[in-house]
Amino acid sequence: MRARIARLIVDRMLDQVPVRAVYPDGTVRGRGGPELRIVRPDAMFERIARSPKIGLGEAYQAGDWTAGEGTDLGELLTPFAARVAQLVPRPLLKFRRLVDERMPRRQRNTPTGARSNISAHYDLSNALFAAFLDPGMTYSSALFEYAGQDLEEAQRHKVERILDQAGVGAGTRLLEIGIGWGALAITAARRGAQVTGITLSTEQLQLAQKRVADAGLTNRVDLRLQDYRAVTGSYDAIVSVEMIEAVGAEYWPEYFRALDRLLAPGGSVALQAILMDHERMLATRNSYGWIQKYIFPGGLIPSRTAIDETLAHYTGLVVEDDHRFGADYAETLRRWRRNFDTNWPAIRAEGFDETFRRTWEFYLAYSEAGFASGYLDVGQLRLIAKDQLSGSENIESTTRSLPGASAR
């Protein structure tokens, strides 16, 4: 009965979307467009009925549905991402709390939980990430200067811009929270900065330290396995690229208080953050989704409004600059997925199976669709002390003039 009800609801959704959904018996739903081929409808609808927020992704992992021949998975998912707030019939929204699953307590981002959550993703295998990232191994959105630009060049441009935004130069005491595989730390050190970098991933730390040593920069770069809450000292600049998504709403106050505490007078913080609409963030912040279960345990994407409110309530910092480039993230993810597919034989040789392939294929395409549709955005935010704002400027007038501010 639950599966039959799920099919009725899904068919109603399909009829609102420009896709072509084909059942095994030849039944076609949807308004035409990219093809969604349903392979095992009974199994698919049973999964969706059992877990409405997670079941569709699990059905893809299991092979219950797939993109039709000649259809790109990212293009297929984009129309759904663009209509995510309108697809569920309004009368059913009042039952949301009954079907939302809660995040397991083990995924709370306590110091112990955060270490476990980060390890679950970033310690999978350095070889895995090397197989689909650019040669610099930068695992965050690139910033393209022109169409068709080489991914490695666009990643370098992103790194240089955020270092400029933070004012990093010769003699700067820089703290990087979340070092990845060391690309930003190496670039900053080559500018003459003294870099302290922290991570909770042992795999990342080992490779990043080797890359720093190979670059001859060990005298300028100190990389540590350390939680942001345990860092002490004073820094002229703090940079963190797409790490806030792993903090969790419960710990946003603690995270931003740490930035405020560690920043030297007159310094600045530069954050690259994935962002979503505030109302959508409020609607999903207390539920447990497919991405949290299979890709980023404990994660939550903030809104710009949530960042502003947390800063105002818990710190003396404000956002002074906000540069958005969500379309560039869609392109970055498209490149990563293409590399992942091309290099799958090498990834499989590392011990990853077909379910893993479908899981990551869905993750990359699902994320790409979010940015391509505008459901998600990414920005480089510069934070400074309130007393550094000049003249009659105030937070509201400053943010209103920023690129992308109207999408908040």
Side-chain angles (χ1 to χ4, degrees), residues 31 102 116 122 136 216 283 300 346 355 370 397 401:
R31 290 161 42 197
R102 290 282 180 170
S116 176
Y122 294 95
L300 179 67
T355 299
S397 64
S401 65

Side-chain angles (χ1 to χ4, degrees), residues 121-386:
H121 186 85
Y122 294 95
D123 287 342
L124 284 168
S125 163
N126 285 335
L128 161 68
F129 291 100
F132 71 90
L133 299 178
D134 70 289
M137 291 190 70
T138 303
Y139 191 34
S140 52
S141 180
L143 181 56
F144 293 91
E145 297 175 278
Y146 54 87
Q149 184 178 20
D150 176 77
L151 180 59
E152 187 175 18
E153 290 180 2
Q155 290 290 15
R156 285 198 295 265
H157 177 54
K158 178 270 299 296
V159 170
E160 296 286 3
R161 189 190 187 283
I162 201 167
L163 290 175
D164 288 344
Q165 191 180 44
V168 175
T172 301
R173 296 168 299 166
L174 171 65
L175 171 65
E176 184 185 10
I177 302 178
I179 60 171
W181 287 273
L184 187 145
I186 290 169
T187 303
R190 285 174 173 159
R191 289 186 172 203
Q194 197 68 37
V195 184
T196 299
I198 63 169
T199 181
L200 293 179
S201 166
T202 55
E203 290 280 319
Q204 284 189 331
L205 179 64
Q206 290 169 6
L207 183 52
Q209 287 176 329
K210 180 181 184 303
R211 294 178 70 191
V212 167
D214 290 346
L217 294 168
T218 52
N219 63 322
R220 288 195 174 276
V221 181
D222 175 21
L223 303 181
R224 310 169 182 171
L225 195 70
Q226 189 175 40
D227 191 284
Y228 67 88
R229 286 162 283 210
V231 179
T232 59
S234 180
Y235 299 88
D236 305 309
I238 302 173
V239 174
S240 189
V241 178
E242 294 181 29
M243 181 272 180
I244 189 174
E245 302 84 358
V247 171
E250 179 183 3
Y251 296 95
W252 287 341
E254 195 166 1
Y255 173 74
F256 284 112
R257 279 198 299 257
L259 299 183
D260 200 12
R261 169 176 58 83
L262 294 166
L263 189 65
S268 60
V269 178
L271 303 181
Q272 183 163 310
I274 299 173
L275 301 164
M276 69 189 308
D277 177 79
H278 188 60
E279 294 306 315
R280 291 299 305 164
M281 188 276 294
L282 292 176
T284 59
R285 65 180 290 173
N286 293 319
S287 61
Y288 184 55
W290 184 88
I291 285 283
Q292 293 162 311
K293 183 173 182 178
Y294 290 101
I295 305 297
F296 293 114
L300 179 67
I301 293 171
S303 67
R304 170 62 199 275
T305 299
I307 291 174
D308 287 342
E309 291 177 350
T310 306
L311 290 173
H313 291 152
Y314 297 98
T315 77
L317 302 174
V318 294
V319 176
E320 184 266 344
D321 182 43
D322 179 342
H323 178 72
R324 302 292 179 92
F325 49 107
D328 288 15
Y329 218 150
E331 177 62 19
T332 301
L333 284 153
R334 194 173 299 118
R335 306 272 191 103
W336 288 347
R337 184 159 55 92
R338 185 176 63 201
N339 292 343
F340 185 91
D341 290 343
T342 299
N343 296 320
W344 171 246
I347 297 170
R348 182 175 55 203
E350 291 293 315
F352 297 102
D353 62 12
E354 184 65 16
T355 299
F356 181 88
R357 183 188 71 79
R358 294 185 68 85
T359 298
W360 273 62
E361 185 178 61
F362 185 77
Y363 148 56
L364 293 169
Y366 176 89
S367 301
E368 177 190 324
F371 290 100
S373 65
Y375 178 77
L376 298 175
D377 203 351
V378 66
Q380 290 183 342
L381 313 180
R382 180 172 183 257
L383 281 57
I384 60 173
K386 288 178 186 177

